[in-house]
Amino acid sequence: MIAIPFHNNPLKLENYLSRPASMSTLSAYSSPPWPNSNPNSDLLSTQDEIDSQAHSPSESQSNDSLSSTMPPDPDPDPGPNSNPNLITNYNTSISSPPQSTSTPPLISLLHLSFNQDFGCFAAGTDHGFRIYNCDPLREIFRRDFDGDGNSGGGGIGVVEMLFRCNILAIVGGGPDPQYSPNKVMIWDDHQSRCIGELSFRSEVRSVKLRRDRIIVVLEQKIFVYNFADLKLLHQIETIANPKGLCAVSHGAGSLVLVCPGLQKGQVRVEHYASKRTKFIMAHDSRIACFSLTQDGQLLVTASTKGTLVRVFNTADGTLLQEVRRGADRAEIYSLAFSSTAQWLAVSSDKGTVHVFSLKINPGSPGIDRSQSTDEPNLAVTSPASSLSFFKGVLPKYFSSEWSVAQFHLPEGSQYIVAFGHQKNTVVILGLDGSFYRCQFDPVNGGEMTQLEYHNFLNPPEAIL
């Protein structure tokens, strides 16, 4: 594999997404420097065992830009059905109607992800990508590609932010990708172009960024690179991983990386500081989703069955807590810890976001998994079943821990969830362009209160 710089420009990280709302445009070089920037090193050429080629982007790619504005805070939209024609998913797209001065083209979402502190989120579309601030919701900037034939068609299938700085990792996607899906493009938004690339033999499933590392996830392999010079540091073999599952810690300490193992239901935990590898048999079924706390001490997992969610200590693999999402099978879309690891949020294809109370710490003793079986349907409305006094006699289903708060969403779209910066709030993003901010009652629980709703793909003027 070859990684090269474009025009030998240094990799410069600057923090500009948190500018005051009074600034109307994004200036190229006037923002304050990123406080923990990487060394100003050029992207040096490196090679590994993958045969590949890298080249500079065409001139048309390097000139794509669109100014963005940041006016005062928006008012919430009246409700979630303001634009029902924008329902999309990861694998489909909406063809654009003929261009006119009055009707803008419909946008199909290919990717959604939060940044590392959940203060921003990135959207990859069939025309480019967009970056949004969460609180208040505001489009920070967008980059729309023309798809003029000299480059790609504009589709971006992966956008990975690095906190709030100008460097992003993007991967082409959708039916008409802007870049090859086999490449990770390092985008510098100060220059509005790609400044380097990593090429592979197979499609890139996901990318994770830290201030010191770039992690690239393929179907059955993961590559860990040094950020400053793109030197390959580590390769990991995994079981088939079409979703590109991978999680990394983002605290000030050393890197903890979690990925699927080589067996069904197994996760692998890499502790790079101590050079230790821990394998955890988390579930009997295949792993569907997992997430780490910022410091990498706690890991939450869910399987393709989607009924039980488990929290582990990453240091020794101890099972610390087990909660139940429901009785029926479900596809888990996202798992998220609160900043204090007091709460856990779960979203799935059932159209409900659940919030669970966590009563654990990394040093807690483990719990018995011997009776963690999934039994037929049974209605339970309280966080702990009223049949819990039969614990040890009946299957563990009857003493399961249930969510304390819920929020019901329209079915038919995929949603990801994170905890908001306001107290006891969650932010929910949908691949139909929906944005919800909800508040839960930490004492009484129950149905969450909807505080905001917007369609961020077709927002009111005030949100731009």
Side-chain angles (χ1 to χ4, degrees), residues 91-410:
N91 300 313
T92 62
S93 63
I94 299 175
S95 59
S96 300
Q99 295 278 359
S100 71
T101 58
S102 59
T103 305
L106 294 178
I107 296 296
S108 175
L109 271 174
L110 304 176
H111 169 90
L112 274 179
S113 62
F114 288 98
N115 74 337
Q116 290 82 356
D117 65 5
F118 307 107
C120 297
F121 66 93
T125 77
D126 55 355
H127 289 78
F129 65 91
R130 304 179 184 186
I131 304 296
Y132 298 85
N133 188 69
C134 287
D135 190 11
L137 175 62
R138 181 182 297 117
E139 182 178 305
I140 300 298
F141 67 89
R142 67 172 70 180
R143 299 293 174 251
D144 288 341
F145 301 113
D146 295 333
D148 56 7
N150 295 325
S151 57
I156 298 296
V158 175
V159 187
E160 178 72 5
M161 300 179 66
L162 180 57
F163 291 91
R164 294 171 176 264
C165 79
N166 54 298
I167 301 297
L168 303 95
I170 58 178
V171 180
D176 199 3
Q178 173 71 10
Y179 307 106
S180 167
N182 293 15
K183 294 181 179 181
V184 176
M185 312 301 293
I186 309 300
W187 178 276
D188 183 351
D189 206 69
H190 278 176
Q191 304 180 51
S192 292
R193 66 183 180 89
C194 292
I195 59 171
E197 67 181 53
L198 299 166
S199 298
F200 302 89
R201 283 181 172 178
S202 60
E203 289 189 10
V204 175
R205 298 303 185 184
S206 68
V207 184
K208 303 297 177 184
L209 296 182
R210 279 172 49 104
R211 294 185 180 101
D212 57 351
R213 296 290 184 268
I214 299 176
I215 297 95
V216 181
V217 184
L218 308 184
E219 178 97 16
Q220 292 185 291
K221 186 173 282 191
I222 293 176
F223 296 91
V224 181
Y225 297 90
N226 187 48
F227 202 120
D229 56 9
L230 294 189
K231 179 182 178 182
L232 180 65
L233 302 177
H234 193 202
Q235 297 184 45
I236 302 172
E237 301 280 347
T238 71
I239 196 171
N241 185 18
K243 290 184 176 180
L245 299 178
C246 183
V248 296
S249 61
H250 295 288
S254 61
L255 170 62
V256 177
L257 181 150
V258 177
C259 63
L262 290 170
Q263 302 177 39
K264 179 180 68 174
Q266 183 187 70
V267 292
R268 173 174 179 160
V269 183
E270 291 289 337
H271 297 271
Y272 284 92
S274 56
K275 298 181 180 179
R276 291 185 301 111
T277 301
K278 181 68 181 178
F279 291 93
I280 302 173
M281 285 305 303
H283 299 271
D284 296 329
S285 304
R286 287 184 175 271
I287 301 297
C289 192
F290 53 72
S291 182
L292 277 172
T293 51
Q294 290 282 327
D295 59 12
Q297 293 188 47
L298 298 177
L299 167 70
V300 59
T301 66
S303 73
T304 52
K305 198 163 187 178
T307 52
L308 294 174
V309 176
R310 292 174 175 145
V311 181
F312 296 91
N313 182 332
T314 59
D316 58 13
T318 302
L319 177 62
L320 301 177
Q321 189 170 345
E322 178 182 273
V323 297
R324 181 173 289 276
R325 181 214 54 82
D328 299 330
R329 295 183 72 100
E331 182 178 358
I332 304 297
Y333 292 142
S334 70
L335 301 164
F337 287 101
S338 65
S339 59
T340 60
Q342 181 183 2
W343 306 101
L344 172 69
V346 180
S347 67
S348 73
D349 65 348
K350 295 299 184 182
T352 303
V353 170
H354 296 269
V355 172
F356 298 89
S357 174
L358 298 182
K359 304 174 181 63
I360 57 176
N361 62 68
S364 298
I367 64 175
D368 181 18
R369 279 189 54 196
S370 60
Q371 292 183 312
S372 299
T373 57
D374 295 333
E375 298 293 324
N377 215 356
L378 177 69
V380 180
T381 57
S382 60
S385 169
S386 60
L387 298 177
S388 60
F389 58 86
F390 284 112
K391 186 175 182 181
V393 179
L394 295 176
K396 198 165 186 176
Y397 177 93
F398 296 100
S399 58
S400 295
E401 295 183 55
W402 298 78
S403 61
V404 299
Q406 308 82 33
F407 185 75
H408 293 86
L409 296 155

Side-chain angles (χ1 to χ4, degrees), residues 407 424-428 436-440 448-451:
F407 185 75
N424 301 327
T425 62
V426 295
V427 173
I428 305 165
Y436 296 87
R437 193 188 317 278
C438 306
Q439 188 169 47
F440 62 93
M448 298 187 221
T449 301
Q450 179 178 312
L451 302 179

Side-chain angles (χ1 to χ4, degrees), residues 409-423:
L409 296 155
E411 293 189 32
S413 185
Q414 300 183 34
Y415 300 93
I416 61 174
V417 63
F419 285 90
H421 290 185
Q422 300 177 33
K423 189 174 182 180

